[in-house]
Amino acid sequence: MRILLLSIMAKCGVFTHVRDLAASLLKKGFEPYIGFIATPAAMDMFGVSKQDRSEMEQSLSAPCFYYNSYTSLLENIEGNGADLVHAHSPIVLKHATYIKLKMDIPFVATLHGLNSWTRNYRKELEKADRIIAVGPEIAASCGKAFKDKITIIFNGVDTDYFRPDYSKTLNHPLRIIWTGRTSGAAARGAEYLAFALKILKKNNIPFEAKYMGYAFGAKVGNAENCGWVHDPLPLLQWSDMAFGRGRSLREAMACGSAGFLLGEGYGGLVRAKWFEKGRQPQLSGSLKHGCMKLDAQEIARDILFFHKNRDILESARRESRLIAEKHFDVNKMTDETVKIYTEAGADF
């Protein structure tokens, strides 16, 4: 089955999601390929350089192409065929709608963020056969208009790729990483981690710390700022403790970092008991989902505890990996997505 994924070439979680979904679909015997919108406006919006594009392309398992008009999109598809089109960004919804009508194939849309979906994209979503939301709040942001065709499927990560470095020891200063792509209230957690690191430094506690990604608007210090990293695996394997939220935290936990939920609020160490009885915590780091208010002293105490108790840190790292394998694996996400493809009318 040929699956056309329409998306954006951007340094963000949407690209990573599409990349990992395509790789997982390939392993399951499907034939995904990816169309990236490449109009001048889109490329300027996402600020992707030629080098960025080259490195991002190299991380893809599935073939890809670029299009800048309905005509160029259709030309690429007519040469490859498609049994279903799956859109992953608001700016490609209209193109997916066009392909659905032009080729008479099912259309699935995945919504990756909060938006006034009904107000801004009602016509496009009315044409979608099924809609996936990557979290309950995103589904709720659609209102009642599309509740009968929305399914929530949480992000998954490739736990075969994002894996621990099993040769690593803990005979070094504690290694701490913040990882994410956040802004606004969610970025405040990165700033409070910096405050916590300052407290530890003042008390002569040895540590190494890095920030990977972007916390727009946050003032961070006492750590190396790595910015966007095309392949985060080495840094995630390097770390002992990872602070973040959402997909970024899932990737770090899969690499065997003890995962600490940090965003608008602080949730502390992610524990297996959070997932008991079929619960699926959102890992949003928000106050309304149960996180405590940000407190640099509390974060510093948690870091200090694991600095002093390396055996417990090792246990927490193993538990993080097990949580990722059981609850975050991309194969779970892909299997649920394929089920949506069937419901949308795809004929396997």
Side-chain angles (χ1 to χ4, degrees):
M1 177 181 176
R2 299 283 283 167
I3 300 168
L4 171 64
L5 304 170
L6 294 183
S7 191
I8 52 177
M9 178 60 76
K11 295 184 284 187
C12 68
V14 176
F15 173 85
T16 311
H17 176 104
V18 172
R19 181 196 66 193
D20 290 355
L21 173 62
S24 184
L25 286 168
L26 271 171
K27 291 177 182 177
K28 293 179 181 295
F30 296 93
E31 298 179 71
Y33 65 113
I34 309 169
F36 292 111
I37 184 169
T39 61
M43 300 310 284
D44 287 345
M45 182 190 305
F46 301 121
V48 177
S49 68
K50 289 183 178 179
Q51 183 176 347
D52 288 331
R53 184 192 292 195
S54 175
E55 293 189 29
M56 293 166 79
E57 286 174 1
Q58 290 175 32
S59 73
L60 297 172
S61 301
C64 72
F65 67 89
Y66 297 89
Y67 71 94
N68 56 21
S69 66
Y70 290 107
T71 301
S72 65
L73 172 60
L74 192 59
E75 286 173 351
N76 277 284
I77 299 171
E78 287 177 337
N80 291 286
D83 300 299
L84 178 141
V85 57
H86 186 173
H88 285 269
S89 169
I91 64 175
V92 301
L93 286 175
K94 60 185 180 181
H95 307 125
T97 302
Y98 172 78
I99 293 304
K100 170 189 168 64
L101 298 175
K102 193 75 174 178
M103 301 186 67
D104 191 24
I105 58 175
F107 161 32
V108 173
T110 288
L111 313 183
H112 288 271
L114 297 174
N115 203 319
S116 299
W117 293 106
T118 302
R119 184 180 67 196
N120 297 331
Y121 303 101
R122 176 184 287 273
K123 290 182 179 179
E124 292 85 350
L125 294 179
E126 283 176 346
K127 298 295 183 183
D129 297 286
R130 289 292 185 274
I131 301 170
I132 297 169
V134 300
E137 288 190 338
I138 295 171
S141 72
C142 277
K144 297 180 181 179
F146 303 107
K147 64 182 179 66
D148 293 335
K149 58 181 177 182
I150 289 183
T151 300
I152 297 166
I153 300 178
F154 289 95
N155 274 321
V157 300
D158 185 346
T159 56
D160 289 333
Y161 181 74
F162 290 103
R163 66 196 184 281
D165 176 0
Y166 292 105
S167 67
K168 175 181 168 183
T169 68
L170 292 178
N171 299 321
H172 50 248
L174 200 61
R175 295 173 176 174
I176 301 160
I177 196 166
W178 177 90
T179 174
R181 295 165 291 271
T182 61
S183 60
R188 289 282 288 159
E191 193 164 332
Y192 272 75
L193 175 59
F195 296 155
L197 295 176
K198 186 176 182 179
I199 294 169
L200 295 170
K201 192 172 184 179
K202 191 176 291 187
N203 286 277
N204 297 315
I205 303 302
F207 64 84
E208 299 174 32
K210 300 177 188 289
Y211 279 75
M212 181 174 68
Y214 301 105
F216 293 103
K219 296 178 181 178
V220 298
N222 300 298
E224 178 186 350
N225 194 341
C226 301
W228 172 269
V229 176
H230 287 291
D231 183 6
L233 181 66
L235 283 177
L236 296 180
Q237 290 181 330
W238 167 88
S239 67
D240 303 317
M241 301 174 67
F243 291 81
R245 62 194 286 273
R247 180 188 189 88
S248 297
L249 184 60
R250 289 176 170 91
E251 291 175 353
M253 291 175 64
C255 289
S257 286
F260 289 79
L261 181 56
L262 181 64
E264 176 195 16
Y266 183 51
L269 180 65
V270 178
R271 301 179 182 274
K273 65 181 181 181
W274 294 10
F275 298 83
E276 292 174 352
K277 299 180 181 179
R279 292 191 293 265
Q280 182 70 48
Q282 296 189 50
L283 301 186
S284 68
S286 70
L287 299 176
K288 62 184 172 184
H289 293 147
C291 284
M292 67 184 80
K293 289 185 178 180
L294 292 169
D295 183 339
Q297 293 283 354
E298 184 71 22
I299 297 170
R301 280 192 290 269
D302 283 348
I303 296 173
L304 184 59
F305 176 82
F306 284 111
H307 164 70
K308 294 179 176 178
N309 297 277
R310 296 304 179 97
D311 56 335
I312 302 177
L313 172 60
E314 183 60 32
S315 177
R317 291 178 64 236
R318 287 196 299 268
E319 183 175 33
S320 284
R321 172 64 185 180
L322 290 173
I323 291 170
E325 289 178 323
K326 186 173 182 179
H327 300 288
F328 304 156
D329 193 277
V330 71
N331 288 303
K332 180 176 182 289
M333 178 189 82
T334 305
D335 288 342
E336 293 174 355
T337 300
V338 169
K339 183 179 177 183
I340 298 302
Y341 291 166
T342 304
E343 293 175 359
D347 185 14
F348 297 153

